[in-house]
Amino acid sequence: MARNAEKAMTTLARWRAAQVGDEPKDKERRPYLASECNDLAKADKWRMQIIREIAKKVAQIQNAGLGEFRIRDLNDEINKLLREKGHWEVQIRDLGGPDYARVGPRMLDHEGKEVPGNRGYKYFGAAKELPGVRELFEQEPPAPPRKTRGELMKDIDADYYGYRDEDDGLLLPLEEVAEKKAIENAVSEWRAKKHASAEGEAGKEEEQEDNIYAVATETYSSGEEESDNRNDEKSHQPKFIAHVPVPTQKEVEQALLERRKQELLEKYASESLLLQSKEAGDMLG
């Protein structure tokens, strides 16, 4: 009995008894909703607990050997904790605490620039190299800077406008040869067109002059000559039969000219002048 009592009085036994007596029986759990906590100190404690969990998972997601599915799960958990941390920060601000969204550390990208806004789904560590995610972080190459008008005018001189192209003595002879050839071709084409048009007009005038007064001559003959020559007469017989003399083109133009003169005289000449011109015409016949 004395031996057991001595063991109970040792330093280790007493320290262990004190630890067991001071440790609470049930460990306090973080509330599911931040709005359920009305104590500012506890809300700040839960926020720090979430930050430690985020830091732990961010360290784990840096390992690319975890596999695609595990990396995606870790990234989802980190984003869920970030949203929960935001809820606790809002509750702390409503309870009269500091506004961590304004005074907290800023989120920076890989180039050290501040990320515009902290909302939306984010990727951490090896999650940025997952298939389909890498394309989101690939930035398009910047467009080349546009030159100003002054920069564009720096390289413009007389050579740009072709002022000194003839100084080498090679261009002018070639231009003269090409110019002569182009003129000859144009003249030959013009002469050919003129000759063809003149021939066509002459042929049309001859046809019109020959056939303008053409009248079908009907011959009534009996016997074998009429039957033999009937087919030849039908082939040469004109299609149009004129029963009255048709004026020529010159006569029509002369009549139109006289009519136009008469209209102008009636329009611009006085009655006395018209009478005088009529009397003069009658006297001259």
Side-chain angles (χ1 to χ4, degrees):
M1 293 296 293
R3 186 63 178 168
N4 294 333
E6 292 177 359
K7 290 180 179 180
M9 293 303 293
T10 58
T11 305
L12 181 61
R14 286 181 293 172
W15 180 81
R16 179 61 182 165
Q19 290 292 328
V20 172
D22 295 339
E23 185 178 0
K25 295 182 180 180
D26 295 331
K27 186 177 180 181
E28 188 175 5
R29 298 180 60 184
R30 185 170 68 238
Y32 182 75
L33 297 176
S35 57
E36 295 178 356
C37 180
N38 297 322
D39 189 354
L40 180 60
K42 288 185 177 181
D44 200 359
K45 181 182 72 172
W46 300 134
R47 175 181 174 274
M48 292 303 299
Q49 183 182 5
I50 293 172
I51 291 175
R52 287 192 293 269
E53 293 179 4
I54 292 174
K56 181 179 178 181
K57 292 184 181 296
V58 168
Q60 292 177 2
I61 203 173
Q62 303 299 326
N63 184 9
L66 296 176
E68 179 181 351
F69 298 103
R70 177 56 181 163
I71 291 174
R72 290 186 184 274
D73 292 341
L74 280 174
N75 201 76
D76 292 340
E77 293 173 3
I78 293 172
N79 281 273
K80 182 179 178 181
L81 291 172
L82 286 174
R83 289 194 297 270
E84 188 175 356
K85 181 175 77 70
H87 297 327
W88 283 104
E89 289 176 352
V90 172
Q91 182 66 15
I92 291 171
R93 184 187 61 190
D94 295 342
L95 293 175
D99 188 0
Y100 291 105
R102 179 176 298 179
V103 301
R106 298 177 179 179
M107 183 175 294
L108 305 178
D109 57 5
H110 63 283
E111 296 180 355
K113 299 179 182 179
E114 183 179 0
V115 177
N118 295 328
R119 298 180 180 180
Y121 194 86
K122 300 178 180 62
Y123 294 92
F124 300 88
K128 295 180 180 180
E129 302 298 329
L130 293 175
V133 181
R134 188 184 302 107
E135 291 78 5
L136 299 176
F137 292 91
E138 290 180 355
Q139 298 181 354
E140 296 182 359
R146 297 184 61 182
K147 293 184 179 180
T148 60
R149 185 178 294 273
E151 292 176 352
L152 293 173
M153 296 297 292
K154 284 182 181 179
D155 301 330
I156 296 178
D157 52 5
D159 293 335
Y160 177 81
Y161 294 102
Y163 289 148
R164 293 196 291 256
D165 290 346
E166 298 86 359
D167 295 348
D168 54 1
L170 300 176
L171 185 60
L172 291 177
L174 297 175
E175 287 183 350
E176 291 178 358
V177 174
E179 184 179 0
K180 290 180 180 180
K181 188 178 295 184
I183 292 173
E184 291 176 358
N185 293 335
V187 170
S188 61
E189 291 179 1
W190 177 77
R191 288 178 177 174
K193 290 181 180 178
K194 185 177 180 181
H195 184 66
S197 61
E199 289 182 353
E201 292 179 358
K204 290 180 180 179
E205 291 179 358
E206 290 178 359
E207 291 179 0
Q208 291 177 358
E209 292 293 338
D210 293 342
N211 299 329
I212 192 168
Y213 292 113
V215 179
T217 56
E218 299 179 357
T219 57
Y220 299 94
S221 61
S222 59
E224 298 179 355
E225 294 181 357
E226 182 179 356
S227 61
D228 294 335
N229 298 329
R230 185 172 297 174
N231 295 328
D232 296 333
E233 290 177 359
K234 288 183 178 180
S235 61
H236 296 288
Q237 185 178 2
K239 298 180 180 179
F240 175 74
I241 299 175
H243 299 281
V244 295
V246 180
T248 61
Q249 184 69 21
K250 292 182 180 180
E251 293 176 354
V252 173
E253 292 178 356
Q254 186 67 24
L256 292 175
L257 182 60
E258 294 294 336
R259 183 177 179 182
R260 184 60 179 170
K261 286 181 180 180
Q262 186 65 26
E263 291 178 355
L264 291 175
L265 287 173
E266 293 177 356
K267 183 176 182 182
Y268 296 103
S270 60
E271 295 181 357
S272 60
L273 183 60
L274 290 175
L275 292 174
Q276 293 176 3
S277 62
K278 186 176 180 182
E279 292 176 357
D282 294 339
M283 292 175 63
L284 295 174

